[in-house]
Amino acid sequence: MLEIKNLHVKLEEEDKVILKGVNLTVEAGTVHAIMGPNGSGKSTLSYVLSGRDGYEVTDGSATLDGAELLEMEPEERAAAGLFLAFQYPVEIPGVGNMTFLRTAVNAQRKARGEEEMSAGEFLKVVRAKAKTLKIDAEMMKRPVNVGFSGGEKKRNEILQMAMLEPKMCILDETDSGLDVDAMKLVAEGVNALRSAGRSFLVITHYQRLLDHIKPDVVHIMADGRIVKTGGPELALEVEHNGYANILAEVL
Amino acid sequence: MAVAQAKLDAAAARLAALSLPQTGWSAAARHDAAARLQAMGMPGKRDEYWRYTDPTSLTTADAPHARLFDAGDEPAMFDAVDRVKLVFVDGVFDPAASDDPVAAGVELLSRVSADIHWAQGLYGVLETRGQTPVARPLAALNTAAATEGVLIRVTGKAAKPVSLIYLHTSESSDAILHHCIKLESGAELTLLENGPAAARFNKVLEVEVGDGARFHHVRAQGRDHERRAVTHIFARLGRESLFKSFTLTANGVMTRNEAIIELTGDDAVAHVAGAALGDGDFHHDDTVFITHAAERCESRQVFKKVLKSGAVGVFQGKILVKPGAQKTDGYQISQCLLLDDDCQFLAKPELEIYADDVKCSHGSTSGAIDETALYYLRSRGVPLRQAQSLLVQAFLAEAIGEIEDEALAEDIRARLEGWLARHGQ
């Protein structure tokens, strides 16, 4: 599904190298987690994969089902099936949440040569999916993320994911700023989307999200590299002992 | 201070090129207006309120040519609205294309022979009041030389909106229209205006809004790239009355829209809003002067401009709160979205307050499109141009939201979306 090879990235503005040779393979239908201390490059990895400006790839590649992601525009990556749930979802005053979602769904369908969803069909589907995420009609009418609480923003991200049905989902610290109940709700939303054809890359600081979204593989990222890979037990180890031991062992 | 000779000469030359009606009910008002213009001269680039906009092309004796614009198969503006249609072709009333004005209670300036007392009390009257403290020579010129216009007196709630349609068919037309509208106590009227009107268009609208009356105004200025327009709205508001005006401008090499509004009755409300988009040699100027002369009045100015490829936007907005106009609530926002580095937005917000218990706020911003929002939209699969278009529409939303009639607002939104989709933003 997703294959990252020797990815080197620096900030465009300053000569600061963030990713120093990331290698990562996510197979179809699996959930991978990336943990790591602050500043290790986790969020940069998610931004680079989704095509945010400001980063320069100096070496390496990232492919989604064989297609080179790094050469695509952000919208092409989305249409190819990549989705990033933002750590800080962006507020867009003046653009209605419903309008935004329908525009996105139909733009992707159009890009893939599929028929656009009719207004009626869209409404039916979105209502059903919003309901399971406890997103009410009022929230759908409001401008995108404007005045949403932290939890509402994250649920809104998951709703977008559910509507867009991507095959590769990256969740960038989706648990940050969430209380336990909100985290459960978000995790349930994610779990409902798990399928043989869909993979997840879950970026998090804490084990607790992984109690709800059970990973198949856990990676530890430090200083711009994946330094250790293991099973779910690796996350527990971090939770108990912190990163110091692991980092001392590998660096 | 002596008026520069060049300005006086320009006024004389412009008046000499026009034939002013010497008789009829408006003759005295026209005569006075011509005298006002001769005394103040044409606007010059050094006048305080013409520093950002070069008045030359609006003041020359002959109108600069303007090629015609082909809107293709796009339906006409306000097409779905049930309205009284009055069509003006290059400034000349076209009865064949229009509904019967008399049946709708509308008199035409060119056809009125008898004295209309109410119109005599309005024609050029608000314009004259509006000349102080800032001179508006092109409005005086209009009062002196207008060849056509509508006179509407509304006593109840008007059954349908009155829709003035301005067609432009001649590349050298130079139209001067002057409308007077009087809303008696408790009356209500919606006035729609659309179209470029002429190669060069000078329009004055005088509106007297009586106690408790409500006036809604929605206009779209026509998309001919080379057209020029200078418009003035002079409004006087009575007690508990409402005045709402919205203008959409897309394209046009020169647009100067002035609104001079006087809140003279307590608890009156005046909202003026505008959304403008243009590129290249587009020059768009909103100049607003709102006077609070009574207590507990509310005024809002909401102006948004989207500029591309070297276009220029100007906003000069003033709130004057007179002594005794306590509990005034004045708000003013002017914002500009600059899609290219070579665009310019020139803003001059002014507050002048002589009462001590008022709430007045103003803000002005200019900036590029929000890159983070753009990335967010694109990351969801929305292509760049469509994402930009969505953000442009979002930027203009507050101004369009000032239109009270939701169907009219939706018409404007849909049209805007179509234009942006077809021509890029």
PDB file of all heavy atoms in Angstrom, chain B residues 244-271:
ATOM      1  N   LYS B 244     -31.004  49.461   3.362  1.00  0.00           N
ATOM      2  CA  LYS B 244     -29.973  48.451   3.128  1.00  0.00           C
ATOM      3  C   LYS B 244     -29.591  48.441   1.661  1.00  0.00           C
ATOM      4  O   LYS B 244     -30.446  48.283   0.793  1.00  0.00           O
ATOM      5  CB  LYS B 244     -30.474  47.059   3.525  1.00  0.00           C
ATOM      6  CG  LYS B 244     -30.439  46.812   5.028  1.00  0.00           C
ATOM      7  CD  LYS B 244     -30.749  45.365   5.336  1.00  0.00           C
ATOM      8  CE  LYS B 244     -29.590  44.724   6.073  1.00  0.00           C
ATOM      9  NZ  LYS B 244     -29.806  43.322   6.381  1.00  0.00           N
ATOM     10  N   SER B 245     -28.321  48.603   1.400  1.00  0.00           N
ATOM     11  CA  SER B 245     -27.874  48.658   0.018  1.00  0.00           C
ATOM     12  C   SER B 245     -26.699  47.707  -0.176  1.00  0.00           C
ATOM     13  O   SER B 245     -25.746  47.704   0.609  1.00  0.00           O
ATOM     14  CB  SER B 245     -27.447  50.090  -0.323  1.00  0.00           C
ATOM     15  OG  SER B 245     -26.862  50.138  -1.603  1.00  0.00           O
ATOM     16  N   PHE B 246     -26.776  46.893  -1.229  1.00  0.00           N
ATOM     17  CA  PHE B 246     -25.671  45.978  -1.550  1.00  0.00           C
ATOM     18  C   PHE B 246     -25.310  46.131  -3.023  1.00  0.00           C
ATOM     19  O   PHE B 246     -26.198  46.183  -3.887  1.00  0.00           O
ATOM     20  CB  PHE B 246     -26.057  44.516  -1.284  1.00  0.00           C
ATOM     21  CG  PHE B 246     -25.058  43.545  -1.854  1.00  0.00           C
ATOM     22  CD1 PHE B 246     -23.912  43.205  -1.133  1.00  0.00           C
ATOM     23  CD2 PHE B 246     -25.232  42.999  -3.123  1.00  0.00           C
ATOM     24  CE1 PHE B 246     -22.963  42.337  -1.675  1.00  0.00           C
ATOM     25  CE2 PHE B 246     -24.284  42.134  -3.667  1.00  0.00           C
ATOM     26  CZ  PHE B 246     -23.150  41.803  -2.933  1.00  0.00           C
ATOM     27  N   THR B 247     -24.033  46.177  -3.305  1.00  0.00           N
ATOM     28  CA  THR B 247     -23.575  46.312  -4.688  1.00  0.00           C
ATOM     29  C   THR B 247     -22.563  45.226  -5.032  1.00  0.00           C
ATOM     30  O   THR B 247     -21.596  45.017  -4.291  1.00  0.00           O
ATOM     31  CB  THR B 247     -22.908  47.680  -4.902  1.00  0.00           C
ATOM     32  OG1 THR B 247     -23.851  48.699  -4.574  1.00  0.00           O
ATOM     33  CG2 THR B 247     -22.469  47.856  -6.352  1.00  0.00           C
ATOM     34  N   LEU B 248     -22.808  44.566  -6.147  1.00  0.00           N
ATOM     35  CA  LEU B 248     -21.838  43.600  -6.667  1.00  0.00           C
ATOM     36  C   LEU B 248     -21.185  44.202  -7.902  1.00  0.00           C
ATOM     37  O   LEU B 248     -21.867  44.653  -8.815  1.00  0.00           O
ATOM     38  CB  LEU B 248     -22.548  42.298  -7.052  1.00  0.00           C
ATOM     39  CG  LEU B 248     -21.684  41.256  -7.776  1.00  0.00           C
ATOM     40  CD1 LEU B 248     -20.645  40.651  -6.831  1.00  0.00           C
ATOM     41  CD2 LEU B 248     -22.557  40.144  -8.354  1.00  0.00           C
ATOM     42  N   THR B 249     -19.868  44.236  -7.883  1.00  0.00           N
ATOM     43  CA  THR B 249     -19.159  44.742  -9.050  1.00  0.00           C
ATOM     44  C   THR B 249     -18.162  43.697  -9.507  1.00  0.00           C
ATOM     45  O   THR B 249     -17.310  43.273  -8.732  1.00  0.00           O
ATOM     46  CB  THR B 249     -18.370  46.028  -8.716  1.00  0.00           C
ATOM     47  OG1 THR B 249     -19.222  46.924  -8.012  1.00  0.00           O
ATOM     48  CG2 THR B 249     -17.869  46.699  -9.979  1.00  0.00           C
ATOM     49  N   ALA B 250     -18.299  43.280 -10.754  1.00  0.00           N
ATOM     50  CA  ALA B 250     -17.288  42.384 -11.320  1.00  0.00           C
ATOM     51  C   ALA B 250     -16.840  43.032 -12.617  1.00  0.00           C
ATOM     52  O   ALA B 250     -17.669  43.325 -13.470  1.00  0.00           O
ATOM     53  CB  ALA B 250     -17.874  41.008 -11.585  1.00  0.00           C
ATOM     54  N   ASN B 251     -15.604  43.313 -12.720  1.00  0.00           N
ATOM     55  CA  ASN B 251     -15.017  43.970 -13.895  1.00  0.00           C
ATOM     56  C   ASN B 251     -15.398  45.458 -13.950  1.00  0.00           C
ATOM     57  O   ASN B 251     -16.138  45.957 -13.120  1.00  0.00           O
ATOM     58  CB  ASN B 251     -15.420  43.296 -15.199  1.00  0.00           C
ATOM     59  CG  ASN B 251     -15.093  41.826 -15.193  1.00  0.00           C
ATOM     60  OD1 ASN B 251     -14.290  41.380 -14.395  1.00  0.00           O
ATOM     61  ND2 ASN B 251     -15.701  41.083 -16.090  1.00  0.00           N
ATOM     62  N   GLY B 252     -14.897  46.106 -14.998  1.00  0.00           N
ATOM     63  CA  GLY B 252     -15.114  47.548 -15.129  1.00  0.00           C
ATOM     64  C   GLY B 252     -13.796  48.250 -14.890  1.00  0.00           C
ATOM     65  O   GLY B 252     -13.135  48.043 -13.876  1.00  0.00           O
ATOM     66  N   VAL B 253     -13.403  49.060 -15.860  1.00  0.00           N
ATOM     67  CA  VAL B 253     -12.105  49.693 -15.766  1.00  0.00           C
ATOM     68  C   VAL B 253     -12.126  50.833 -14.748  1.00  0.00           C
ATOM     69  O   VAL B 253     -11.103  51.179 -14.164  1.00  0.00           O
ATOM     70  CB  VAL B 253     -11.648  50.138 -17.177  1.00  0.00           C
ATOM     71  CG1 VAL B 253     -12.437  51.339 -17.670  1.00  0.00           C
ATOM     72  CG2 VAL B 253     -10.165  50.392 -17.231  1.00  0.00           C
ATOM     73  N   MET B 254     -13.313  51.392 -14.508  1.00  0.00           N
ATOM     74  CA  MET B 254     -13.413  52.483 -13.530  1.00  0.00           C
ATOM     75  C   MET B 254     -14.779  52.457 -12.855  1.00  0.00           C
ATOM     76  O   MET B 254     -15.808  52.538 -13.527  1.00  0.00           O
ATOM     77  CB  MET B 254     -13.215  53.831 -14.246  1.00  0.00           C
ATOM     78  CG  MET B 254     -13.544  55.056 -13.415  1.00  0.00           C
ATOM     79  SD  MET B 254     -12.552  55.235 -11.911  1.00  0.00           S
ATOM     80  CE  MET B 254     -10.936  55.530 -12.621  1.00  0.00           C
ATOM     81  N   THR B 255     -14.763  52.300 -11.555  1.00  0.00           N
ATOM     82  CA  THR B 255     -16.007  52.379 -10.801  1.00  0.00           C
ATOM     83  C   THR B 255     -15.776  53.236  -9.567  1.00  0.00           C
ATOM     84  O   THR B 255     -14.842  52.991  -8.809  1.00  0.00           O
ATOM     85  CB  THR B 255     -16.482  50.980 -10.336  1.00  0.00           C
ATOM     86  OG1 THR B 255     -16.541  50.107 -11.462  1.00  0.00           O
ATOM     87  CG2 THR B 255     -17.858  51.064  -9.690  1.00  0.00           C
ATOM     88  N   ARG B 256     -16.605  54.235  -9.403  1.00  0.00           N
ATOM     89  CA  ARG B 256     -16.577  55.033  -8.189  1.00  0.00           C
ATOM     90  C   ARG B 256     -18.001  55.029  -7.654  1.00  0.00           C
ATOM     91  O   ARG B 256     -18.900  55.601  -8.268  1.00  0.00           O
ATOM     92  CB  ARG B 256     -16.126  56.458  -8.522  1.00  0.00           C
ATOM     93  CG  ARG B 256     -16.418  57.486  -7.433  1.00  0.00           C
ATOM     94  CD  ARG B 256     -15.316  57.573  -6.386  1.00  0.00           C
ATOM     95  NE  ARG B 256     -15.427  58.817  -5.630  1.00  0.00           N
ATOM     96  CZ  ARG B 256     -14.418  59.397  -4.986  1.00  0.00           C
ATOM     97  NH1 ARG B 256     -13.220  58.844  -5.007  1.00  0.00           N
ATOM     98  NH2 ARG B 256     -14.598  60.499  -4.322  1.00  0.00           N
ATOM     99  N   ASN B 257     -18.195  54.349  -6.544  1.00  0.00           N
ATOM    100  CA  ASN B 257     -19.521  54.296  -5.931  1.00  0.00           C
ATOM    101  C   ASN B 257     -19.502  55.079  -4.634  1.00  0.00           C
ATOM    102  O   ASN B 257     -18.789  54.728  -3.709  1.00  0.00           O
ATOM    103  CB  ASN B 257     -19.916  52.847  -5.620  1.00  0.00           C
ATOM    104  CG  ASN B 257     -20.168  52.026  -6.871  1.00  0.00           C
ATOM    105  OD1 ASN B 257     -20.599  52.563  -7.895  1.00  0.00           O
ATOM    106  ND2 ASN B 257     -19.904  50.732  -6.804  1.00  0.00           N
ATOM    107  N   GLU B 258     -20.295  56.125  -4.587  1.00  0.00           N
ATOM    108  CA  GLU B 258     -20.369  56.891  -3.351  1.00  0.00           C
ATOM    109  C   GLU B 258     -21.733  56.671  -2.699  1.00  0.00           C
ATOM    110  O   GLU B 258     -22.743  56.557  -3.385  1.00  0.00           O
ATOM    111  CB  GLU B 258     -20.166  58.386  -3.624  1.00  0.00           C
ATOM    112  CG  GLU B 258     -18.789  58.700  -4.190  1.00  0.00           C
ATOM    113  CD  GLU B 258     -18.405  60.187  -4.034  1.00  0.00           C
ATOM    114  OE1 GLU B 258     -18.947  60.864  -3.145  1.00  0.00           O
ATOM    115  OE2 GLU B 258     -17.548  60.637  -4.817  1.00  0.00           O
ATOM    116  N   ALA B 259     -21.712  56.599  -1.392  1.00  0.00           N
ATOM    117  CA  ALA B 259     -22.971  56.526  -0.640  1.00  0.00           C
ATOM    118  C   ALA B 259     -22.894  57.574   0.458  1.00  0.00           C
ATOM    119  O   ALA B 259     -21.942  57.587   1.244  1.00  0.00           O
ATOM    120  CB  ALA B 259     -23.165  55.142  -0.050  1.00  0.00           C
ATOM    121  N   ILE B 260     -23.869  58.451   0.467  1.00  0.00           N
ATOM    122  CA  ILE B 260     -23.894  59.527   1.450  1.00  0.00           C
ATOM    123  C   ILE B 260     -25.214  59.377   2.207  1.00  0.00           C
ATOM    124  O   ILE B 260     -26.295  59.589   1.646  1.00  0.00           O
ATOM    125  CB  ILE B 260     -23.802  60.916   0.761  1.00  0.00           C
ATOM    126  CG1 ILE B 260     -22.493  61.033  -0.017  1.00  0.00           C
ATOM    127  CG2 ILE B 260     -23.895  62.043   1.788  1.00  0.00           C
ATOM    128  CD1 ILE B 260     -22.585  60.640  -1.475  1.00  0.00           C
ATOM    129  N   ILE B 261     -25.101  58.965   3.434  1.00  0.00           N
ATOM    130  CA  ILE B 261     -26.302  58.591   4.175  1.00  0.00           C
ATOM    131  C   ILE B 261     -26.401  59.379   5.459  1.00  0.00           C
ATOM    132  O   ILE B 261     -25.427  59.472   6.217  1.00  0.00           O
ATOM    133  CB  ILE B 261     -26.282  57.078   4.482  1.00  0.00           C
ATOM    134  CG1 ILE B 261     -26.313  56.311   3.160  1.00  0.00           C
ATOM    135  CG2 ILE B 261     -27.468  56.679   5.347  1.00  0.00           C
ATOM    136  CD1 ILE B 261     -25.800  54.913   3.271  1.00  0.00           C
ATOM    137  N   GLU B 262     -27.582  59.918   5.674  1.00  0.00           N
ATOM    138  CA  GLU B 262     -27.796  60.741   6.850  1.00  0.00           C
ATOM    139  C   GLU B 262     -28.897  60.108   7.700  1.00  0.00           C
ATOM    140  O   GLU B 262     -30.020  59.909   7.221  1.00  0.00           O
ATOM    141  CB  GLU B 262     -28.260  62.119   6.368  1.00  0.00           C
ATOM    142  CG  GLU B 262     -27.764  63.261   7.202  1.00  0.00           C
ATOM    143  CD  GLU B 262     -28.326  64.584   6.664  1.00  0.00           C
ATOM    144  OE1 GLU B 262     -28.659  64.669   5.461  1.00  0.00           O
ATOM    145  OE2 GLU B 262     -28.448  65.497   7.466  1.00  0.00           O
ATOM    146  N   LEU B 263     -28.548  59.769   8.930  1.00  0.00           N
ATOM    147  CA  LEU B 263     -29.533  59.193   9.834  1.00  0.00           C
ATOM    148  C   LEU B 263     -30.092  60.348  10.659  1.00  0.00           C
ATOM    149  O   LEU B 263     -29.433  60.839  11.583  1.00  0.00           O
ATOM    150  CB  LEU B 263     -28.868  58.140  10.730  1.00  0.00           C
ATOM    151  CG  LEU B 263     -28.284  56.952   9.946  1.00  0.00           C
ATOM    152  CD1 LEU B 263     -26.904  56.577  10.444  1.00  0.00           C
ATOM    153  CD2 LEU B 263     -29.218  55.766  10.007  1.00  0.00           C
ATOM    154  N   THR B 264     -31.308  60.794  10.296  1.00  0.00           N
ATOM    155  CA  THR B 264     -31.840  62.003  10.929  1.00  0.00           C
ATOM    156  C   THR B 264     -32.937  61.712  11.943  1.00  0.00           C
ATOM    157  O   THR B 264     -33.340  62.596  12.688  1.00  0.00           O
ATOM    158  CB  THR B 264     -32.412  62.969   9.871  1.00  0.00           C
ATOM    159  OG1 THR B 264     -33.406  62.286   9.123  1.00  0.00           O
ATOM    160  CG2 THR B 264     -31.325  63.450   8.928  1.00  0.00           C
ATOM    161  N   GLY B 265     -33.461  60.472  11.932  1.00  0.00           N
ATOM    162  CA  GLY B 265     -34.480  60.114  12.912  1.00  0.00           C
ATOM    163  C   GLY B 265     -33.911  59.096  13.885  1.00  0.00           C
ATOM    164  O   GLY B 265     -33.055  58.283  13.507  1.00  0.00           O
ATOM    165  N   ASP B 266     -34.374  59.127  15.134  1.00  0.00           N
ATOM    166  CA  ASP B 266     -33.855  58.185  16.134  1.00  0.00           C
ATOM    167  C   ASP B 266     -34.124  56.737  15.715  1.00  0.00           C
ATOM    168  O   ASP B 266     -35.111  56.440  15.031  1.00  0.00           O
ATOM    169  CB  ASP B 266     -34.537  58.433  17.492  1.00  0.00           C
ATOM    170  CG  ASP B 266     -34.150  59.797  18.068  1.00  0.00           C
ATOM    171  OD1 ASP B 266     -33.107  60.341  17.647  1.00  0.00           O
ATOM    172  OD2 ASP B 266     -34.898  60.316  18.918  1.00  0.00           O
ATOM    173  N   ASP B 267     -33.257  55.848  16.140  1.00  0.00           N
ATOM    174  CA  ASP B 267     -33.415  54.397  15.946  1.00  0.00           C
ATOM    175  C   ASP B 267     -33.439  53.946  14.484  1.00  0.00           C
ATOM    176  O   ASP B 267     -34.017  52.918  14.160  1.00  0.00           O
ATOM    177  CB  ASP B 267     -34.697  53.895  16.650  1.00  0.00           C
ATOM    178  CG  ASP B 267     -34.683  54.219  18.140  1.00  0.00           C
ATOM    179  OD1 ASP B 267     -33.861  53.623  18.851  1.00  0.00           O
ATOM    180  OD2 ASP B 267     -35.472  55.093  18.578  1.00  0.00           O
ATOM    181  N   ALA B 268     -32.834  54.713  13.620  1.00  0.00           N
ATOM    182  CA  ALA B 268     -32.776  54.304  12.212  1.00  0.00           C
ATOM    183  C   ALA B 268     -31.582  53.364  12.001  1.00  0.00           C
ATOM    184  O   ALA B 268     -30.616  53.382  12.766  1.00  0.00           O
ATOM    185  CB  ALA B 268     -32.651  55.514  11.306  1.00  0.00           C
ATOM    186  N   VAL B 269     -31.687  52.560  10.939  1.00  0.00           N
ATOM    187  CA  VAL B 269     -30.631  51.578  10.642  1.00  0.00           C
ATOM    188  C   VAL B 269     -30.201  51.719   9.179  1.00  0.00           C
ATOM    189  O   VAL B 269     -31.048  51.727   8.291  1.00  0.00           O
ATOM    190  CB  VAL B 269     -31.157  50.136  10.870  1.00  0.00           C
ATOM    191  CG1 VAL B 269     -30.116  49.106  10.426  1.00  0.00           C
ATOM    192  CG2 VAL B 269     -31.507  49.923  12.340  1.00  0.00           C
ATOM    193  N   ALA B 270     -28.893  51.835   8.950  1.00  0.00           N
ATOM    194  CA  ALA B 270     -28.391  51.924   7.574  1.00  0.00           C
ATOM    195  C   ALA B 270     -27.239  50.946   7.381  1.00  0.00           C
ATOM    196  O   ALA B 270     -26.260  50.975   8.122  1.00  0.00           O
ATOM    197  CB  ALA B 270     -27.915  53.338   7.273  1.00  0.00           C
ATOM    198  N   HIS B 271     -27.398  50.061   6.410  1.00  0.00           N
ATOM    199  CA  HIS B 271     -26.313  49.132   6.079  1.00  0.00           C
ATOM    200  C   HIS B 271     -25.913  49.352   4.616  1.00  0.00           C
ATOM    201  O   HIS B 271     -26.776  49.350   3.745  1.00  0.00           O
ATOM    202  CB  HIS B 271     -26.761  47.674   6.222  1.00  0.00           C
ATOM    203  CG  HIS B 271     -27.003  47.264   7.644  1.00  0.00           C
ATOM    204  ND1 HIS B 271     -27.096  45.952   8.014  1.00  0.00           N
ATOM    205  CD2 HIS B 271     -27.166  47.984   8.783  1.00  0.00           C
ATOM    206  CE1 HIS B 271     -27.305  45.875   9.323  1.00  0.00           C
ATOM    207  NE2 HIS B 271     -27.363  47.097   9.810  1.00  0.00           N
TER     208      HIS B 271
END
